[in-house]
């Protein structure tokens, strides 16, 4: 079962990792605006933890929120993740919203053989295409659906995190009205998901607030839009209804440590162009139900499948730009590959900008999905010193070159 590490804002995290595997490891605290030495990228921000070695992660998270713990050693992140290494870090607010239950749900998937053993790692066709998509989906380490009970009328905070190697999906909610209170760990003005669904690429987190039905025996479900629909978790109302009348669900409080606005006028602007991967045959794009799509084809270097600004990343990569602390940065991210790309900005939060520099989406992000052939622009305040990654959250792509660096001095 993935560990759930829970601390209060202002409380330090101290977690010692003992590597009892036969390969190097490191742990990335995905979404934490960490001190650089504790970001957990083996081969960049720290030396990888060797087999038989150990490392003490110690830091005080600057923000309350919901974060993931994922392996992220250069060239070797996919295998430990595919073997189940993941967790969730919950940093509670000084005054958290009043709820009857606070539940963390970590989604993972596993690629298994017919005899239920874990399929070997390192397949080039996975890394060059959609990544290692599992055939068994789990929530909190158990086959779906995860089930739990709560009293009728209970107010529940659900913390959802996608720790899959590669599987992105959309989430649908049935039997209950859902309000998003935080995206990628950062609070937002509370909103209802459009058409009761939310995008859920690897690395993404949501904090949801729900008031359960007041009748006993009601079933509320979280469904991944995989195939005909895959139920990830259900909550059933049971017991005596909660009599207390609650105020309407509202925002959980803004994060005063983030800037109220990002002044784009004097921003440093850079292009970040993603290339590589398998070639998707035209027939695959045109295939329908009657005609199976041909597989994407890749025939290049199996260690350097992907590139950012023409470079396939390895240890020793130099930053694509350097900025002084306090500089606003705008990145135009262009996906010239045949696949959607889930991308993560380390050490910072960003705004997804509108096309004409006339505003941004009303929430902070550190992870988002860029569709094939598209360009998106993000803006952020580079206020955290160190060398930071922009990295694929599909770990087979990360292992084969899909990341780059920038430096804040």
């Amino acid at each position: 079962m993935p560990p759930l590490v829970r601390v209060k804002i202002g409380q330090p995290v101290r977690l010692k990792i003992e590597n009892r595997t036969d390969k190097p490891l490191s742990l990335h605290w995905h979404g934490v605006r960490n001190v650089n030495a504790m970001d957990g990228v083996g081969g960049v921000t720290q030396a990888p933890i060797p087999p038989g070695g150990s490392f003490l992660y110690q830091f005080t998270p600057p923000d309350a929120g919901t974060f993931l713990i994922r392996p992220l050693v250069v060239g070797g992140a996919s295998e430990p993740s595919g073997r189940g290494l993941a967790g969730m870090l919950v940093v509670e607010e000084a005054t958290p919203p009043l709820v009857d239950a606070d539940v963390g749900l970590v989604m993972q998937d596993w690629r298994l053989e017919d005899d239920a053993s874990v399929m070997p790692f390192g397949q080039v066709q996975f890394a060059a295409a959609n990544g290692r998509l599992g055939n068994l989906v789990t929530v909190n380490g158990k086959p779906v659906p995860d089930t739990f009970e709560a009293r009728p009328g209970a107010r529940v905070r659900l913390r959802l995190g996608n720790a899959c190697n590669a599987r992105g999906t959309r989430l649908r909610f049935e039997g209950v009205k859902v309000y998003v209170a935080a995206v990628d760990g950062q609070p937002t003005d509370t909103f209802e998901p459009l058409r009761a669904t939310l995008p859920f690429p690897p690395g993404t987190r949501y904090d949801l607030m729900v008031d359960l039905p007041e009748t006993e025996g009601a079933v509320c479900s979280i469904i991944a839009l995989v195939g005909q629909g895959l139920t990830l978790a259900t909550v059933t109302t049971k017991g005596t209804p909660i009599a207390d009348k609650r105020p309407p669900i509202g925002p959980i409080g803004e994060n005063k440590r983030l800037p109220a606005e990002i002044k784009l006028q004097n921003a440093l602007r850079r292009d970040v162009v993603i290339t590589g991967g398998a070639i998707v045959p035209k027939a695959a794009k045109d295939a329908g139900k009657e005609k199976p799509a041909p597989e994407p084809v890749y025939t290049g270097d199996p260690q350097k499948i992907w590139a950012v600004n023409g470079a396939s990343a390895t240890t020793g990569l130099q930053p694509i730009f350097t900025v002084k602390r306090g500089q606003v940065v705008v990145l135009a991210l262009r996906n010239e590959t045949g696949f959607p790309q889930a991308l993560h900005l380390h050490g910072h939060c960003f705004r997804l900008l509108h096309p004409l520099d006339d505003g941004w989406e009303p929430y902070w992000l550190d992870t988002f999905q860029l569709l094939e052939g598209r360009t998106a622009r993000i803006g952020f305040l580079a206020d955290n010193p160190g060398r930071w990654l922009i990295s694929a959250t599909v770990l087979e792509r990360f292992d084969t070159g899909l990341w780059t660096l920038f430096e804040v001095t």
Side-chain angles (χ1 to χ4, degrees), residues 277-301:
I279 301 300
V280 181
K282 184 178 185 302
K285 300 174 183 177
D286 298 338
K289 293 181 180 178
E290 306 300 323
K291 186 178 178 182
E295 292 292 324
V297 178
Y298 181 76
T299 58
D301 186 337

Side-chain angles (χ1 to χ4, degrees), residues 202-227:
T204 296
R205 294 93 60 214
Y206 293 107
D207 287 45
L208 308 176
M209 301 288 284
V210 300
D211 283 340
L212 298 180
E214 297 180 356
T215 56
E216 188 169 16
V219 178
C220 309
S221 303
I222 304 171
I223 297 169
L225 300 185
V226 176

Side-chain angles (χ1 to χ4, degrees), residues 287-320:
K289 293 181 180 178
E290 306 300 323
K291 186 178 178 182
E295 292 292 324
V297 178
Y298 181 76
T299 58
D301 186 337
Q303 303 302 316
K304 298 180 178 180
I305 295 172
W306 306 92
V308 180
N309 287 3
S312 189
T314 60
T315 300
L317 183 75
Q318 293 304 302
I320 59 172

Side-chain angles (χ1 to χ4, degrees), residues 161-179:
N162 184 344
C164 294
N165 268 39
R167 182 178 297 282
T169 184
R170 292 189 70 86
L171 300 178
R172 187 176 75 230
F173 306 94
E174 294 186 353
V176 69
K177 185 176 286 190
V178 169
Y179 296 89

Side-chain angles (χ1 to χ4, degrees), residues 13-83:
V13 172
R14 289 174 54 87
L15 194 145
K16 182 180 180 182
I17 303 300
E18 296 181 358
N19 183 5
R20 298 179 182 176
T21 76
D22 60 356
K23 293 182 173 64
L25 282 179
S26 64
L27 288 183
H28 171 51
W29 304 83
H30 186 105
V32 178
R33 297 189 302 141
N34 219 330
V35 292
N36 190 253
M38 293 290 125
D39 193 47
V41 184
V44 179
T45 65
Q46 69 174 90
I49 308 167
S54 64
F55 186 85
L56 178 63
Y57 290 99
Q58 48 185 344
F59 57 92
T60 301
D63 309 315
T66 303
F67 310 100
L68 285 173
I69 308 168
R70 302 185 87 197
L72 206 63
V73 62
V74 171
S78 171
E79 181 168 348
S81 174
R83 293 187 182 279

Side-chain angles (χ1 to χ4, degrees), residues 128-381:
N130 290 311
R132 185 183 174 93
L133 299 175
N135 48 19
L136 172 68
V137 177
T138 62
V139 167
N140 291 349
K142 299 177 182 178
V144 297
D146 189 23
T147 60
F148 62 99
E149 296 176 344
R151 290 170 60 188
R155 179 165 291 182
V156 179
R157 181 176 188 167
L158 295 172
R159 302 175 185 263
L160 309 181
N162 184 344
C164 294
N165 268 39
R167 182 178 297 282
T169 184
R170 292 189 70 86
L171 300 178
R172 187 176 75 230
F173 306 94
E174 294 186 353
V176 69
K177 185 176 286 190
V178 169
Y179 296 89
V180 178
V183 182
D184 284 353
Q186 299 297 344
T188 181
D189 287 339
T190 311
F191 65 91
E192 291 184 60
L194 185 66
R195 292 187 289 275
T197 68
L198 288 169
F200 201 43
T204 296
R205 294 93 60 214
Y206 293 107
D207 287 45
L208 308 176
M209 301 288 284
V210 300
D211 283 340
L212 298 180
E214 297 180 356
T215 56
E216 188 169 16
V219 178
C220 309
S221 303
I222 304 171
I223 297 169
L225 300 185
V226 176
Q228 299 300 310
L230 183 67
T231 301
L232 299 180
T234 63
V235 56
T236 303
T237 55
K238 183 177 180 180
T240 307
I242 289 179
D244 298 340
K245 284 295 181 184
R246 302 277 170 76
I249 290 173
I252 59 177
E254 64 180 317
N255 183 356
K256 299 285 190 182
R257 291 177 175 267
L258 294 176
E261 63 175 348
I262 301 175
K263 296 182 179 180
L264 303 177
Q265 296 89 337
N266 298 316
L268 176 84
R269 295 175 181 266
R270 290 290 184 271
D271 292 335
V272 179
V273 182
I274 302 167
T275 55
I279 301 300
V280 181
K282 184 178 185 302
K285 300 174 183 177
D286 298 338
K289 293 181 180 178
E290 306 300 323
K291 186 178 178 182
E295 292 292 324
V297 178
Y298 181 76
T299 58
D301 186 337
Q303 303 302 316
K304 298 180 178 180
I305 295 172
W306 306 92
V308 180
N309 287 3
S312 189
T314 60
T315 300
L317 183 75
Q318 293 304 302
I320 59 172
F321 62 88
T322 299
V323 295
K324 294 288 187 182
R325 187 177 186 179
Q327 172 73 52
V328 172
V329 177
V330 171
L331 300 180
L333 299 153
R334 190 160 79 246
N335 179 5
E336 295 186 352
T337 77
F339 304 90
Q341 299 291 348
L343 302 171
H344 172 49
L345 180 71
H346 291 231
H348 298 79
C349 298
F350 63 83
R351 295 285 201 181
L352 187 60
L353 302 181
H354 293 163
L356 301 177
D357 263 10
D358 57 353
W360 44 68
E361 295 301 313
Y363 38 74
W364 292 95
L365 297 168
D366 57 61
T367 302
F368 85 117
Q369 182 157 272
L370 180 60
L371 296 179
E372 57 271 36
R374 301 287 185 86
T375 298
R377 292 180 308 121
I378 64 172
F380 65 97
L381 179 67

